[in-house]
Amino acid sequence: MKPILLTFSVLLSCIFISYSQTAVKQYTIEQFYKTVAFGGGDFNNQENKILVHDNSTGIFNVYEIDLATKEKKSLTQSEKESYYEIGYVPGTNDFLYSADKGGNENSHIYLQKAAGSVTDLTPGEKEKAGFFGWNRPRTAFYYTSNLRDPKFFDVYKMNTSDWKPTLIYQNEKGLDVASISPDENWLVLTKTITTDKGEMYLLNRKTNEIKKLSAEVEATYSPQSFELDNSAFYYITTEGSEFAYVVKYDLATGKQQKIFADKWDVMYMYTSNNGKYRVIGVNEDGRNKILLFDHKTGKPLSFPKLTEGYVQGVSISPTEKNMVVYVMSDRSPVNLYSYNFASQKLEKLTNSLNPEIDANDLVDAQVVRFKSFDGLQIPAIFYKPKNASAGSKVPALVWVHGGPGGQSTAGYSQSIQYFVNHGYAILAVNNRGSSGYGKSYYKMDNRNHGDKDLKDCVWGKKWLAQQSFIEPTKIGIYGGSYGGFMSLSGIIQYPNEFKVGVDLFGVTNWLRTLKSIPAYWESFRQALYEELGDPATDSVRLRSISPLFNTDKIKTPLLVLQGSNDPRVLQAESDEIVAGAKKNGTPVEYVLFPDEGHGFRKKENQMKAARVTLEFLDKYLSGPGYAADGKKSF
């Protein structure tokens, strides 16, 4: 008797057969967006309350949660701009928050007194300011600002006694402060050479001596934190390794010691306020893995057991007695839990998923891999509708992340769950050039954007078409920012592969985009040019890959969404691609958001974007009417 051989596609069908084939309740966009996004979790002085922000009103505002009663109190009532908590002013009920205007990304730091009065602490009209942490005595905070020079971020210190800034580091050469020692004598500086290579320096503020610490190799360096006694600091690097790991640098001896490595990238490492705990985050194959250690001994510590989801992050209180735990699953947004180290008591503080939605109707993400045109294994995150089967085939989207160099990860996505709940399978492709899979993989798209990385997306489409539960003639491409460029390039270069294209604020003219990037990207400008191309010397190639100069080839139904205040991808980019595509008689829909920037923050706008996208997909992708080449197929 001959052995039974299963084909690759049959094996995949077996893998996904675990999904329930029972009827799944379908939810409206309003129901999905009654879900609340939470962030923050800074403790007050008594550690009986935490400061958070959420978008329960439709826009982010600041709230206070009482840890004993779980009651949430509104502290701000913005109806126009999103407010993001920074933290309590130590020893008071006053607090700091951050906000920009209309998504222009020029964020300011605001002080709100307990009585309600608000002061803009960084009031420069075109100033962009970022909170950088409290000093050791917690009597002042550090922040970055480009007020002096729009191109570079200086570092200031602002005392809470008089709220006046003092310049402590003037950035004149694109050397950015990455870490400050507790005694303020040492600054660790970094410089981006390319997206694959950086430099790291140690500055002694007393002597003004600067010492280069990085090696003359292709590696990245990311300083993390200092020891409390100023004897050493920690940094993350890829020096001599495919994946990032943690190193301890001793200031007295210059000795460098690797203290933690994984088979995946370490994302961050920090120590708690008094140095008792060490927290390390790892990017493990598209999911966050959070590790907790006793900092002095290096002994790993266990997290409290969870009945749902996985730990996405933690915030340890100043006394190190309490902790906020951020918990998420593929079928639920982040929820906040409080944890007491002594009692080991874990309590849920928030319920982010709309109670009208049964999480069992949503889907878990699956990490899959497929072979691209040259045999390279491409990782992806796959979402399969529960009602999909060989007898009930579904349409699908190839989902392309931003960047270049971004990464699609597992976890809850409001828009993805909405589309999947309405019958669309989604393959979020981590094409070559994506982060998280080693530095060799990350650099594979350098000076090759819109070519091999785009082919990875096309071969992702081919993988989808091979699945028994996918309708192979009904596959589109969707992307935002750099992913929007890829979406446009996909329907231009491969008009017979994708039935529709969805572009969210995508780059259409690389020459203009690279020339018009914000001034404060100056220290990163050359690195960006090195990866993408310098518009002054590489204009021919950049023009050839820019969708704007190839609009005559757009024959595929196209949806474009754009924020008017976008400082990265200007509105003109979308205006012109829409005008060019319409000349072909191609179905083009365009939605402009006058109060948004690079991405949509307001719930009303998020709902509108998702709603019009689903209507577009239902009309041009899942329904009859247009074939992959844009021709009518009635």
Side-chain angles (χ1 to χ4, degrees):
M1 183 176 179
K2 293 182 179 180
I4 298 175
L5 299 178
L6 296 178
T7 65
F8 182 62
S9 60
V10 172
L11 282 170
L12 285 171
S13 296
C14 293
I15 291 172
F16 297 121
I17 200 69
S18 59
Y19 282 99
S20 170
Q21 299 298 319
T22 59
V24 175
K25 183 177 179 181
Q26 206 168 70
Y27 299 98
T28 66
I29 188 62
E30 288 78 13
Q31 287 175 305
F32 268 100
Y33 278 87
K34 283 182 183 177
T35 289
V36 181
F38 288 94
D42 185 69
F43 287 87
N44 68 347
N45 195 52
Q46 294 77 28
E47 297 189 4
N48 60 356
K49 296 178 181 179
I50 59 171
L51 199 66
V52 302
H53 51 253
D54 75 42
N55 63 349
S56 53
T57 64
I59 195 169
F60 281 97
N61 271 286
V62 180
Y63 300 85
E64 185 177 68
I65 296 179
D66 187 297
L67 298 180
T69 65
K70 315 297 187 299
E71 290 182 4
K72 186 178 74 169
K73 176 184 177 182
S74 174
L75 299 181
T76 67
Q77 292 79 38
S78 175
E79 297 179 354
K80 185 177 181 181
E81 308 296 353
S82 287
Y83 292 175
Y84 300 96
E85 72 88 16
I86 293 174
Y88 291 100
V89 176
T92 76
N93 290 320
D94 305 339
F95 63 91
L96 304 178
Y97 67 86
S98 174
D100 69 2
K101 292 183 179 179
N104 66 2
E105 299 187 14
N106 286 333
S107 54
H108 286 195
I109 299 172
Y110 295 85
L111 165 68
Q112 180 163 320
K113 293 284 191 175
S117 64
V118 176
T119 303
D120 185 351
L121 299 177
T122 54
E125 183 179 353
K126 295 183 179 180
E127 181 176 9
K128 181 178 176 66
F131 182 77
F132 200 77
W134 293 98
N135 67 345
R136 179 62 183 156
R138 296 176 69 82
T139 57
F141 70 88
Y142 309 109
Y143 69 97
T144 60
S145 171
N146 66 342
L147 179 64
R148 181 189 60 83
D149 185 339
K151 296 186 298 183
F152 297 120
F153 287 98
D154 300 326
V155 175
Y156 294 82
K157 178 180 179 180
M158 185 174 286
N159 288 302
T160 58
S161 58
D162 57 13
W163 301 106
K164 293 181 179 179
T166 301
L167 180 67
I168 67 169
Y169 174 75
Q170 186 164 307
N171 184 354
E172 296 179 320
K173 299 179 180 179
L175 291 176
D176 298 304
V177 175
S179 190
I180 303 172
S181 64
D183 64 3
E184 298 182 354
N185 184 52
W186 303 97
L187 301 182
V188 187
L189 313 174
T190 58
K191 183 176 183 178
T192 302
I193 305 302
T194 70
T195 52
D196 310 299
K197 181 181 180 180
E199 293 177 349
M200 181 171 66
Y201 298 84
L202 182 64
L203 172 65
N204 186 323
R205 293 183 67 218
K206 289 180 180 178
T207 64
N208 208 32
E209 178 187 2
I210 188 168
K211 179 181 180 182
K212 186 177 181 181
L213 304 182
S214 52
E216 296 298 328
V217 296
E218 191 172 75
T220 56
Y221 297 86
S222 177
Q224 299 297 296
S225 62
F226 273 83
E227 288 284 17
L228 297 180
D229 63 1
N230 309 289
S231 64
F233 73 89
Y234 297 86
Y235 67 92
I236 293 171
T237 183
T238 58
E239 186 179 319
S241 172
E242 276 293 314
F243 293 94
Y245 56 93
V246 183
V247 175
K248 179 180 181 180
Y249 179 90
D250 186 281
L251 271 69
T253 65
K255 180 182 178 182
Q256 300 179 58
Q257 175 188 2
K258 181 188 291 188
I259 66 162
F260 181 84
D262 200 292
K263 60 180 180 180
W264 300 97
D265 278 331
V266 175
M267 299 180 293
Y268 60 82
M269 171 264 173
Y270 66 89
T271 56
S272 55
N273 188 57
N274 298 313
K276 184 174 183 178
Y277 299 107
R278 179 193 307 162
V279 181
I280 290 179
V282 178
N283 179 352
E284 186 176 59
D285 202 13
R287 290 188 186 276
N288 287 353
K289 180 174 71 175
I290 311 301
L291 303 172
L292 186 64
F293 300 86
D294 180 294
H295 183 54
K296 290 183 179 180
T297 66
K299 179 183 177 182
L301 304 174
S302 299
F303 278 106
K305 290 185 178 180
L306 298 169
T307 57
E308 57 182 32
Y310 53 91
V311 177
Q312 184 78 359
V314 298
S315 175
I316 300 173
S317 71
T319 65
E320 302 173 326
K321 295 178 180 179
N322 300 291
M323 177 169 67
V324 172
V325 184
Y326 310 88
V327 178
M328 183 172 69
S329 75
D330 296 344
R331 291 180 284 127
S332 173
V334 167
N335 275 302
L336 307 184
Y337 288 70
S338 64
Y339 179 72
N340 181 272
F341 283 100
S343 67
Q344 298 186 352
K345 186 177 181 180
L346 180 71
E347 293 187 287
K348 190 175 184 179
L349 301 174
T350 64
N351 289 289
S352 57
L353 186 66
N354 178 5
E356 297 173 19
I357 295 178
D358 183 348
N360 293 318
D361 290 325
L362 307 184
V363 301
D364 286 321
Q366 303 287 319
V367 178
V368 300
R369 283 172 168 77
F370 61 87
K371 285 187 178 181
S372 191
F373 67 98
D374 57 357
L376 182 68
Q377 288 279 346
I378 306 298
I381 312 297
F382 182 61
Y383 301 82
K384 178 188 174 186
K386 289 196 171 184
N387 60 354
S389 67
S392 180
K393 296 179 185 289
V394 297
L397 287 174
V398 170
W399 191 281
V400 194
H401 61 65
Q407 181 188 20
S408 285
T409 58
Y412 185 80
S413 166
Q414 197 101 290
S415 53
I416 286 179
Q417 290 291 349
Y418 174 62
F419 296 139
V420 174
N421 182 248
H422 284 258
Y424 291 89
I426 289 180
L427 182 71
V429 175
N430 282 312
N431 50 272
R432 67 192 70 196
S434 301
S435 56
Y437 303 98
K439 63 184 182 184
S440 295
Y441 192 83
Y442 181 71
K443 64 187 291 187
M444 280 184 175
D445 66 343
N446 288 6
R447 299 292 180 102
N448 190 245
H449 300 88
D451 182 13
K452 292 178 182 178
D453 55 355
L454 180 58
K455 288 179 181 176
D456 294 339
C457 297
V458 173
W459 260 253
K461 181 264 182 183
K462 295 179 185 295
W463 179 89
L464 280 169
Q466 293 171 0
Q467 309 312 307
S468 63
F469 46 82
I470 299 293
E471 175 52 63
T473 62
K474 296 182 177 181
I475 302 174
I477 186 169
Y478 174 113
S481 191
Y482 182 78
F485 155 72
M486 292 279 276
S487 183
L488 292 167
S489 297
I491 62 175
I492 288 171
Q493 296 185 41
Y494 299 93
N496 297 318
E497 293 288 351
F498 301 105
K499 192 176 179 183
V500 300
V502 180
D503 160 36
L504 288 76
F505 40 88
V507 178
T508 69
N509 181 350
W510 281 111
L511 294 170
R512 176 169 52 203
T513 295
L514 290 171
K515 289 178 181 177
S516 64
I517 58 176
Y520 52 80
W521 283 27
E522 183 62 31
S523 62
F524 184 63
R525 183 187 300 271
Q526 284 306 126
L528 201 60
Y529 286 0
E530 182 67 27
E531 177 175 350
L532 289 162
D534 188 330
T537 59
D538 202 11
S539 60
V540 174
R541 186 185 64 84
L542 289 170
R543 182 183 176 89
S544 70
I545 68 171
S546 295
L548 182 59
F549 305 113
N550 296 279
T551 55
D552 59 308
K553 298 175 184 176
I554 298 179
K555 311 295 183 183
T556 306
L558 173 65
L559 172 64
V560 178
L561 302 102
Q562 173 74 41
S564 294
N565 302 321
D566 194 330
R568 305 185 188 199
V569 178
L570 304 180
Q571 180 185 327
E573 300 271 309
S574 293
D575 290 347
E576 293 173 2
I577 200 75
V578 167
K582 282 184 174 179
K583 290 180 181 179
N584 305 324
T586 303
V588 181
E589 296 184 11
Y590 186 27
V591 182
L592 193 62
F593 298 90
D595 54 351
E596 296 283 9
H598 198 68
F600 312 136
R601 296 183 181 181
K602 299 176 175 66
K603 271 194 180 183
E604 182 181 350
N605 293 334
Q606 292 172 346
M607 285 194 291
K608 182 177 180 180
R611 185 186 298 111
V612 298
T613 300
L614 183 65
E615 291 171 354
F616 174 82
L617 296 176
D618 287 347
K619 183 176 182 180
Y620 293 108
L621 181 57
S622 63
Y626 283 84
D629 59 2
K631 296 179 180 178
K632 290 186 178 181
S633 59
F634 291 107

